[in-house]
Amino acid sequence: MDIELRHIHKRFGAVHANNDISAVFHSGQIVGILGENGAGKSTLMKILAGFQPPDSGVILLDGAPAAYGSPEAALSAGIGMLQQDPLDIGAFTVIENFIYGSHLTRREAYRALSAQTERLGFDIDPDALVSTLSIGQRQQLEIVRLLALGVKTLILDEPTTGISTEQKTLLFDALRLLAKRDGMSVLLVSHKLEDVIALCDRAVVLRSGCLVGELDAPLTTADLVQLMFGGELIQQKRKHPGTGDVVAALEGVTLRSRRMTVEPFTLRIRASEVIGLAGLDNSGQELALRACAGLVKPAAGRVMVLGEDMTGKPYRAFMQKGVWFSAAGRLEEGLIAGLTLTEHVALVADSRPLLDWNAARALTEAKLAQYQVRGQPESLVETLSGGNQQRLLMGLLPEKPVLLALEQPTRGLDVDSSQWIWTQLLDRCDVGTAILFTSPDLDELVAHSDRLLVAFAGRITEVPDAASVTIDQLGRMIGGAFQ
Amino acid sequence: MKMNWMTRLAFALLPIIASLAITALLITLVGSDPRAVFERVFEGAFRNSTAFAGVVNFWIPLVLCSMGLVVTFTAGLWNIGVEGQMMVGAIFASWGAQFLALPAPLQVGAEIALAMAGGAVWASLAGLLKVRLGVHEIFGGVALNALANVWAIYLISGPWQPPEGGSAQATRPFPPDAVLPSISNAFPVSLLGLIIAFLAVVGVALALRGTRWGLQLKATGKNPRSALLLGVPTTQSALTALIVCGVLAGAAGSYRALFTYTSLRPLLTGGIGFLGLLVVLLVGVRAIWTPLVAFAFAVVLGGSTRLRVALQLDQSLAGVLQSTVVLMVLLANGLRRRLSARRSVEAPQPTQTAVDFKQEQTAHE
């Protein structure tokens, strides 16, 4: 099935997630959809798969305009999407998951399932509970389920995150077979360059909501990085690895989450240092950041703060030592919807058992002025705009913390707001605070970090010469290509 | 998002009018006159000081439980276990009434203190199950309620059996020194009970409004994840909230045992704890309104005891009215939320954010 997108627009508030995107996907081809986090690739694929409507624009299937308002309608038009977290039901067996959405009887379903899995070389037990399967097996189930529903176009969102090498080989072989022998269109959303290079006939690159280029195989890392990150050099402001005392350290730490394992690594953080943690989603940098604040307990190794072993202690103990964490989702982790600005300030201002609301209000007014937060002390925090919420969070941090562990400190902010946040942060560094931060934005990492670490598929490596690294080089590294 | 006061008043009155209408309709359907029923209920509650004392005696334990539940709801906890906490309070108070022999002024105080401790222990069991073993407080609470009831039945039919024998419905009445005295024969209400209820209302309202503990409870209830990151000891918040509720529920249980029944009996809580959950849901966890709404509930329940005699109607009609009120209020809240959500959607979103965005930018210039 040939798919053509014409002038697709999609906005979320002030964010133009898809800006006038036109593209053609031919049957029998595997096309990689590439871009940084937030480039708009998932939005585009969700529009194509019927999960959300475009604001404007047309989708043509085999030349005929298609109008569908739901994933179900997209499925009957022949388009199926494999989500990053497979949409299956853990309490059901494989065969039960396979049946839903279809009109097969149980007996037909067994036959169809074994026929599909055999052809693709997958190995799943029809009677196993889905909750006992690995992510790779759950993907396989989802693929054969979509095929049984008659899908002609298969969209896969980051399918290689969290699966083993063997399963990846199996998956890629299956996708090649589907495209080359069955003539299906396969669209692979990914930010892993090596996967796209290994598998795709063509790559479409998005940046900040716009389609910035298309390349045909043979694909090269250099070309892709050039398109993904623009390749322009930006000014590098601070490049002096700290010489102060080590204030915090991860010593031979192994981290585990449901999806991944971060291999043992050591990170020593010195006073006044800014350390950037680069990496694509779920590469391990988020876990490393949280481990520094005691929010993820290491499976092995030690976490040290100011010379004391803090391994396994709760976040509050880290806070008392001067380690503060700030999360990317401001209203999920950080601020409390339903509480006023004054209540937030009162919560962190001191620890006296009785509250003095007049004093808290005065302090709030002072902080709002100092941190340029546009809002009233008695407004509820969820009524603030994103930038104001971020500035308020900054105002809630203590004046001289030992270490700030910041997850995407400028997420969703415009250039001016980001700049302002960094001025505040670097002021704190000047008085001895160390900063460890993650960011999907390579510019931000290169511009502000004294040292850079790159996480890729659970391996965390220090960039040897952070002062001279370019955005291109960093882009290659987070895609798994070290020289 | 904001509504004018007319709309807000309408949303406050609408559910009450609607539930009165529904109850009236039900009464008409069973062949009675709704006006006569409402008159009888009012009479039943206010016809003389003894009748009114009945209302107050119901109000005291109800308001104690409700204030406790205001605390747990603020911390985001569904303390279904409040009934069991009341029961264990009653058991502890009964132990004191039967086996403690202290000088007169200390005796009753000690019994109530025991009851508070018992309620606190039972509540902290639910709390520990939650924070240590991840058992949701609703399930833990239901189980502990059943255990408390079985414990009371065991005591009544076993060790604390009255001399008449094992089929007894209650322990032997407690000695006069061990029970709460009435203000007067014409107005049989315990002054100490009233004082404790008053202190509970004021204490909880002040603690939630003016202490760090209260603010931390609120933060934990609204978003435990963020609260933790802002340095709130969330586990401790949840546990202390449950313990405070247990203390108040225990006091409520002691009032039932030491005054209402002057003995320990099964089902002595009379569902007051569950009623407290309804009261607190109805006031939307606002401490100030709790005693008033609890009073209204007590009037309806106290007043309806005469329905059977006067109109051959079962007093469960009171329950029907109360439940309808709660359903209607929840419905009105849902409606209001949907309405305000629709309004905010109607306002063109992109323009709004564009303005915000601009303002933000000019703020930097």
Side-chain angles (χ1 to χ4, degrees):
Chain A
M1 181 165 58
D2 290 341
I3 299 172
E4 187 178 355
L5 303 174
R6 280 193 194 158
H7 307 295
I8 301 285
H9 282 270
K10 181 78 186 176
R11 284 174 185 276
F12 297 106
V15 178
H16 209 149
N18 282 166
N19 187 353
D20 197 33
I21 293 186
S22 300
V24 182
F25 306 116
H26 294 291
S27 57
Q29 274 201 338
I30 305 178
V31 182
I33 315 290
L34 272 167
E36 288 182 89
N37 298 330
K41 44 194 199 306
S42 287
T43 304
L44 188 65
M45 290 304 114
K46 282 183 180 160
I47 288 172
L48 187 54
F51 284 86
Q52 57 197 17
D55 292 344
S56 62
V58 190
I59 301 171
L60 300 169
L61 303 181
D62 284 331
Y68 42 75
S70 68
E72 192 192 355
L75 272 174
S76 47
I79 299 175
M81 180 160 172
L82 172 66
Q83 304 281 338
Q84 192 168 354
D85 276 305
L87 293 178
D88 49 20
I89 301 173
F92 285 4
T93 62
V94 166
I95 196 73
E96 284 162 343
N97 272 280
F98 183 75
I99 288 172
Y100 67 61
S102 76
H103 300 286
L104 299 174
T105 64
R106 202 166 253 270
R107 184 187 300 227
E108 287 164 352
Y110 272 107
R111 216 175 296 140
L113 179 68
S114 68
Q116 295 282 10
T117 48
E118 208 167 295
R119 197 166 76 94
L120 297 176
F122 292 166
D123 177 28
I124 6 179
D125 171 8
D127 297 311
L129 279 179
V130 163
S131 54
T132 64
L133 302 185
S134 68
I135 291 198
Q137 288 174 310
R138 288 167 57 197
Q139 283 179 346
Q140 295 173 357
L141 166 62
E142 197 65 0
I143 290 171
V144 294
R145 186 179 77 85
L146 292 171
L147 292 178
L149 291 175
V151 159
K152 305 265 186 330
T153 296
L154 191 60
I155 304 170
L156 301 102
D157 191 1
E158 305 287 356
T160 57
T161 309
I163 68 174
S164 67
T165 322
E166 299 85 66
Q167 281 173 335
K168 188 162 113 176
T169 316
L170 208 56
L171 175 71
F172 282 9
D173 288 345
L175 293 179
R176 282 193 198 100
L177 183 126
L178 292 173
K180 301 307 161 201
R181 198 184 307 160
D182 299 2
M184 287 180 60
S185 311
V186 175
L187 305 183
L188 178 81
V189 177
S190 182
H191 45 214
K192 289 203 183 129
L193 300 179
E194 52 170 34
D195 293 352
V196 173
I197 291 169
L199 186 66
C200 296
D201 304 310
R202 200 152 67 88
V204 170
V205 181
L206 302 188
R207 193 166 74 220
S208 308
C210 299
L211 197 156
V212 291
E214 296 180 52
L215 294 170
D216 286 316
L219 302 164
T220 65
T221 310
D223 294 346
L224 291 174
V225 166
Q226 173 71 25
L227 275 177
M228 276 172 78
F229 302 108
E232 73 268 36
L233 271 172
I234 60 142
Q235 199 188 347
Q236 294 170 14
K237 285 161 196 154
R238 292 168 48 95
K239 285 290 163 265
H240 43 81
T243 49
D245 297 337
V246 173
V247 290
L250 299 175
E251 303 277 357
V253 157
T254 308
L255 303 168
R256 280 207 188 93
S257 75
R258 202 169 53 80
R259 271 198 101 117
M260 70 176 319
T261 299
V262 176
E263 294 165 16
F265 70 102
T266 292
L267 167 63
R268 297 195 181 89
I269 305 164
R270 293 173 186 279
S272 292
E273 245 178 358
V274 180
I275 302 180
L277 279 167
L280 301 162
D281 281 348
N282 298 316
S283 299
Q285 76 278 23
E286 301 96 340
L287 287 177
L289 185 76
R290 283 170 186 250
C292 282
L295 290 159
V296 169
K297 313 250 175 287
R302 291 190 307 162
V303 184
M304 309 290 292
V305 177
L306 296 177
E308 194 179 313
D309 190 349
M310 301 288 285
T311 316
K313 293 206 174 151
Y315 174 59
R316 271 174 61 74
F318 280 76
M319 279 177 107
Q320 276 150 12
K321 281 263 169 193
V323 177
W324 281 64
F325 172 81
S326 154
R330 290 182 276 268
L331 279 179
E332 294 83 48
E333 289 183 282
L335 300 173
I336 300 170
L339 254 56
T340 65
L341 309 192
T342 308
E343 284 175 319
H344 277 87
V345 170
L347 211 48
V348 297
D350 55 57
S351 56
R352 279 194 294 260
L354 291 181
L355 298 172
D356 178 349
W357 285 113
N358 288 328
R361 210 194 123 88
L363 181 61
T364 308
E365 273 172 349
K367 290 227 181 220
L368 297 190
Q370 186 189 346
Y371 290 93
Q372 304 178 9
V373 180
R374 294 173 63 88
Q376 298 302 313
E378 60 276 7
S379 348
L380 295 176
V381 74
E382 64 268 31
T383 63
L384 297 185
S385 71
N388 284 317
Q389 286 176 5
Q390 186 69 2
R391 286 195 287 274
L392 174 67
L393 257 183
M394 200 57 59
L396 295 176
L397 294 175
E399 288 298 323
K400 278 189 197 171
V402 171
L403 170 65
L404 289 177
L406 308 169
E407 197 175 76
Q408 305 186 23
T410 60
R411 190 177 80 145
L413 302 188
D414 57 83
V415 177
D416 286 345
S417 297
S418 309
Q419 208 78 62
W420 188 89
I421 293 283
W422 272 107
T423 314
Q424 297 294 315
L425 290 174
L426 297 179
D427 282 353
R428 284 191 163 94
C429 283
D430 291 340
V431 295
T433 298
I435 291 180
L436 182 67
F437 77 106
T438 63
S439 173
D441 183 354
L442 299 185
D443 292 357
E444 185 175 29
L445 286 162
V446 168
H448 300 296
S449 307
D450 300 323
R451 286 164 63 197
L452 276 166
L453 277 77
V454 173
F456 177 75
R459 274 196 315 279
I460 294 183
T461 324
E462 175 138 18
V463 176
D465 187 9
S468 61
V469 75
T470 64
I471 290 179
D472 278 8
Q473 289 166 335
L474 192 58
R476 268 196 289 277
M477 289 175 196
I478 67 176
F482 288 87
Q483 282 92 352
Chain B
M1 287 260 270
K2 275 196 178 144
M3 300 199 168
N4 60 26
W5 66 271
M6 288 263 286
T7 331
R8 263 183 292 160
L9 187 70
F11 268 110
L13 290 181
L14 203 73
I16 294 169
I17 294 168
S19 46
L20 282 176
I22 290 172
T23 317
L25 186 72
L26 280 174
I27 295 168
T28 322
L29 281 177
V30 298
S32 254
D33 177 12
R35 253 190 51 191
V37 169
F38 291 135
E39 271 167 20
R40 282 304 181 294
V41 169
F42 190 79
E43 237 174 63
F46 297 109
R47 74 182 178 285
N48 57 33
S49 64
T50 327
F52 184 61
V55 172
V56 176
N57 282 326
F58 201 83
W59 178 77
I60 288 173
L62 179 58
V63 90
L64 284 170
C65 284
S66 303
M67 293 318 287
L69 289 165
V70 165
V71 173
T72 45
F73 269 115
T74 303
L77 297 164
W78 277 81
N79 186 15
I80 296 284
V82 64
E83 282 271 316
Q85 289 146 27
M86 243 180 116
M87 194 45 150
V88 172
I91 290 173
F92 274 49
S94 303
W95 180 86
Q98 295 175 95
F99 304 108
L100 270 186
L102 297 174
L106 291 179
Q107 173 72 27
V108 173
E111 287 164 21
I112 296 175
L114 273 172
M116 290 176 163
V121 166
W122 218 241
S124 52
L125 280 183
L128 288 174
L129 279 172
K130 182 185 173 75
V131 302
R132 292 269 174 273
L133 302 172
V135 179
H136 195 282
E137 71 272 11
I138 290 184
F139 302 129
V142 168
L144 288 166
N145 284 351
L147 266 181
N149 280 330
V150 171
W151 189 9
I153 291 167
Y154 160 74
L155 288 172
I156 294 160
S157 59
W160 295 355
Q161 201 181 79
E164 308 83 272
S167 62
Q169 293 301 304
T171 60
R172 201 171 0 168
F174 302 142
D177 289 349
V179 300
L180 293 165
S182 287
I183 293 175
S184 71
N185 278 338
F187 189 58
V189 168
S190 157
L191 183 63
L192 187 58
L194 265 180
I195 292 172
I196 292 176
F198 177 76
L199 289 178
V201 171
V202 175
V204 167
L206 287 182
L208 290 184
R209 175 89 195 94
T211 68
R212 174 158 309 277
W213 176 74
L215 183 59
Q216 289 181 336
L217 287 193
K218 193 173 169 187
T220 308
K222 301 251 182 227
N223 184 342
R225 189 79 199 144
S226 289
L228 185 80
L229 291 182
L230 289 173
V232 174
T234 47
T235 308
Q236 197 185 319
S237 284
L239 272 180
T240 50
L242 277 167
I243 287 171
V244 166
C245 185
V247 163
L248 295 178
S254 75
Y255 195 80
R256 299 287 280 181
L258 300 179
F259 189 82
T260 310
Y261 294 117
T262 62
S263 61
L264 181 68
R265 54 182 63 202
L267 307 180
L268 132 161
T269 57
I272 285 177
F274 291 138
L275 205 55
L277 287 167
L278 292 190
V279 169
V280 179
L281 279 183
L282 207 53
V283 297
V285 200
R286 277 165 303 216
I288 306 295
W289 290 97
T290 308
L292 287 176
V293 174
F295 184 73
F297 272 46
V299 166
V300 174
L301 274 181
S304 57
T305 46
R306 272 166 59 86
L307 283 178
R308 177 178 289 280
V309 189
L311 297 164
Q312 284 79 51
L313 281 175
D314 195 80
Q315 70 176 89
S316 59
L317 192 61
V320 172
L321 177 60
Q322 281 165 349
S323 321
T324 327
V325 171
V326 172
L327 280 178
M328 288 299 136
V329 168
L330 293 179
L331 201 63
N333 285 346
L335 263 179
R336 181 163 51 184
R337 216 168 297 143
R338 187 175 275 199
L339 213 65
S340 57
R342 189 166 305 159
R343 277 186 195 176
S344 55
V345 169
E346 271 166 18
Q349 205 73 47
T351 351
Q352 234 177 12
T353 23
V355 171
D356 274 356
F357 193 61
K358 233 183 192 160
Q359 281 173 345
E360 242 171 59
Q361 298 220 313
T362 42
H364 294 299
E365 285 163 14

